[in-house]
Amino acid sequence: MAYVAKPAQAKAKELDPHRIREDFPILQREIHGKPLAYLDNAATTQRPKVVIETLTRFYERHNANVHRAVHTLSHEASVAYENAHKKVAKFINARSWREIVFTRNATEALNLVAYAWGFWNLSEGDEVVLTIMEHHSNLVPWLMLRERRGIVLQFVDVDDRGRLRLDQLREAITPKTKLVGAIHASNVLGTVNPVQEIVEEAHRVGALTVIDAAQSAPHIPIDVQELDCDFLAASGHKMLGPTGTGFLYAKRELLEQMDPFLHGGDMIATVTLEGVTWNELPWKYEAGTPSIADGIALGAAVEYLLDLGMEAVYAHERKLLEYALERLLSLEGLVVYGPHDPEDRLGVISFNVEGVHPHDLAGILDEEGIAVRSGHHCAQPLMARLGMDNTARASFYLYNTEDEIDRLLEGIQKAQRLFR
Ligand code: C6P
């Protein structure tokens, strides 16, 4: 089990999802005449008013480019943008805000690791160990490096319930291993991987680690100092921030040693026709005009989560998960993928209804105002390993309620009746 509840959690204040829902204007919407039940949070979450207002306020009062001018607006924008990095650093307990690079999404953050670190530090025969559970974002860049640099990829399997084979991981990590990459929580199965143990195993042979926290950072407390991971990527838009936001955490010494992979404005200190010197961290890795308003609004999202407390967010979602698992597992004609023990997973549940294609099921649920995702979830090797090609997927967040899970069950039963 990767996320072990700490004693503090027992004291976590209880979230009131009905109160929280008032902060999210979109949750007041009706879809096909029914109240929206948004259960597609693993794809992207909704935004609270404070995030939407931060965007509007920026454009109405402070809009200017950052780091480029001495006028008041540019100064205000620069300070707010820097402060957003500080909030994200606090959110994951980084040693310094300079270890936080803002990116467009988790995919860009993971590509940054592959191209700024992997391309220059890996050569033929070097081994990278990945799990079979990786999202394509932490898989395809390494497949590309295998073609371009001749690196060797080792994949660690899962058991039939979708839990990582730690025995295989230990065997796969050898002195040839230069990097171990692992998804923290699976976007298909909800499985939480024991990343602390994975990092320890990697460091034993001197390998670096990249953790894909796109599905964990929004839902459980993350402490990068405690994890001691070298890189960690996450999506801002899966944790109440605007689309077009994500971030990479990397240990400062690595960010200092590495060269950026995007070159141009703002990321340099000096340029002559003979060469360049890099800007200070983290701007060295944020070439060109960044998504300033979105980045600042990500800071507001992170503050909103910190105010509620991540222990409380986890405790609420844990209750929803237990309720949903119990109800889904009691339905006949339904297959629920991933671990059945809530200790081993988070609130992302993939399932299939016998005789109903997941896209048809998602369509019927939509008629009931319920949003779920259906498809391969950008993790095709995992789907192939578990003999699935498409699934329906419900994923929860802090504003979801047990009532919405009841509606999901009723929708599934309606589909079963229609397809009988
Ligand atoms: N998963 C889903 O499951 P971006 O879109 O770049 O911010 O995040 C990519 C990504 C990386 N890792 C994991 C574990 C993810 O789940 C995702 C995104 C979404 O519905 C879209 S495929």
Side-chain angles (χ1 to χ4, degrees):
M1 169 52 198
Y3 175 63
V4 183
K6 295 180 186 154
Q9 196 190 301
K11 287 188 245 126
K13 59 177 185 249
E14 212 168 300
L15 294 192
D16 175 0
H18 299 286
R19 225 285 309 130
I20 287 174
R21 291 174 79 83
E22 290 167 13
D23 294 339
F24 290 79
I26 203 170
L27 298 180
Q28 322 308 324
R29 250 201 87 171
E30 293 196 340
I31 304 286
H32 305 302
K34 315 265 169 60
L36 167 65
Y38 187 76
L39 303 180
D40 193 16
N41 294 289
T44 197
T45 60
Q46 300 302 344
R47 283 78 180 143
K49 269 185 268 182
V50 65
V51 168
I52 300 165
E53 285 164 6
T54 301
L55 285 170
T56 314
R57 194 170 55 248
F58 177 78
Y59 287 121
E60 286 180 352
R61 304 226 8 111
H62 309 288
N63 181 45
N65 213 327
V66 289
H67 308 146
R68 281 164 173 82
V70 293
H71 62 75
T72 301
L73 290 186
S74 178
H75 176 70
E76 287 173 1
S78 302
V79 170
Y81 189 61
E82 188 174 307
N83 280 340
H85 287 67
K86 290 180 180 161
K87 290 171 191 173
V88 171
K90 183 172 168 204
F91 186 71
I92 58 166
N93 196 30
R95 270 172 214 88
S96 159
W97 67 273
R98 293 192 181 278
E99 296 179 314
I100 306 296
V101 178
F102 277 9
T103 58
R104 277 187 306 138
N105 45 41
T107 303
E108 191 176 287
L110 291 161
N111 273 268
L112 201 164
V113 179
Y115 287 98
W117 182 81
F119 192 84
W120 298 106
N121 289 281
L122 295 175
S123 45
E124 197 163 338
D126 283 343
E127 295 194 1
V128 169
V129 174
L130 298 170
T131 82
I132 192 105
M133 298 158 95
E134 296 313 303
H135 184 277
H136 296 164
S137 300
N138 198 27
L139 172 61
V140 180
W142 303 109
L143 294 176
M144 291 297 103
L145 279 198
R146 184 168 66 183
E147 273 182 29
R148 288 173 189 163
R149 307 296 279 165
I151 62 170
V152 176
L153 299 182
Q154 302 282 0
F155 293 101
V156 181
D157 200 5
V158 291
D159 65 19
D160 290 342
R161 274 266 146 254
R163 288 165 302 209
L164 193 69
R165 291 272 311 272
L166 272 179
D167 56 323
Q168 265 197 16
L169 178 97
R170 287 191 196 102
E171 268 170 38
I173 297 176
T174 70
K176 284 194 207 150
T177 309
K178 296 291 178 281
L179 178 88
V180 178
I183 193 167
H184 194 174
S186 164
N187 66 316
V188 180
L189 305 172
T191 316
V192 181
N193 284 325
V195 282
Q196 185 128 29
E197 221 171 313
I198 295 173
V199 170
E200 279 165 20
E201 291 292 335
H203 286 175
R204 217 169 25 81
V205 297
L208 296 185
T209 48
V210 53
I211 304 302
D212 176 357
Q215 298 293 349
S216 58
H219 306 283
I220 55 180
I222 300 278
D223 182 334
V224 287
Q225 293 191 57
E226 197 178 326
L227 286 179
D228 198 29
C229 55
D230 301 285
F231 300 102
L232 180 136
S235 312
H237 65 93
K238 293 189 203 293
M239 40 193 270
L240 310 181
T243 47
T245 61
F247 63 88
L248 177 72
Y249 155 82
K251 284 183 180 163
R252 190 174 186 143
E253 57 270 27
L254 284 166
L255 289 176
E256 273 162 2
Q257 282 158 22
M258 286 155 43
D259 284 337
F261 87 115
L262 285 175
H263 304 129
D266 206 30
M267 45 75 65
I268 48 80
T270 60
V271 182
T272 65
L273 295 184
E274 280 67 50
V276 295
T277 57
W278 307 132
N279 200 349
E280 57 189 2
L281 296 177
W283 318 130
K284 171 180 169 185
Y285 294 95
E286 293 192 19
T289 301
S291 268
I292 304 165
D294 298 320
I296 294 169
L298 172 60
V302 156
E303 243 174 6
Y304 182 90
L305 288 170
L306 285 174
D307 281 351
L308 291 174
M310 289 307 292
E311 299 281 3
V313 170
Y314 170 71
H316 173 69
E317 292 181 27
R318 173 67 183 255
K319 269 197 277 172
L320 290 179
L321 170 67
E322 285 175 13
Y323 186 69
L325 272 181
E326 195 187 315
R327 298 222 52 200
L328 288 168
L329 287 170
S330 70
L331 266 193
E332 257 178 53
L334 192 96
V335 185
V336 178
Y337 301 99
H340 288 178
D341 183 347
E343 275 295 290
D344 295 334
R345 62 179 300 159
L346 296 178
V348 180
I349 308 182
S350 280
F351 54 93
N352 271 326
V353 176
E354 259 167 43
V356 188
H357 192 279
H359 291 327
D360 293 328
L361 175 63
I364 291 166
L365 291 172
D366 183 60
E367 283 169 18
E368 299 300 315
I370 303 163
V372 298
R373 185 176 169 184
S374 52
H376 60 59
H377 313 300
C378 305
Q380 284 177 341
L382 174 66
M383 305 286 282
R385 160 65 182 85
L386 294 176
M388 314 133 75
D389 53 6
N390 287 289
T391 74
R393 186 190 69 184
S395 49
F396 312 131
Y397 209 16
L398 70 183
Y399 36 64
N400 290 124
T401 62
E402 289 187 358
D403 175 53
E404 289 176 316
I405 292 167
D406 291 341
R407 286 178 54 204
L408 172 68
L409 266 285
E410 284 158 23
I412 293 171
Q413 283 167 323
K414 178 182 166 191
Q416 286 178 317
R417 283 194 302 276
L418 286 173
F419 279 80
R420 187 172 291 150

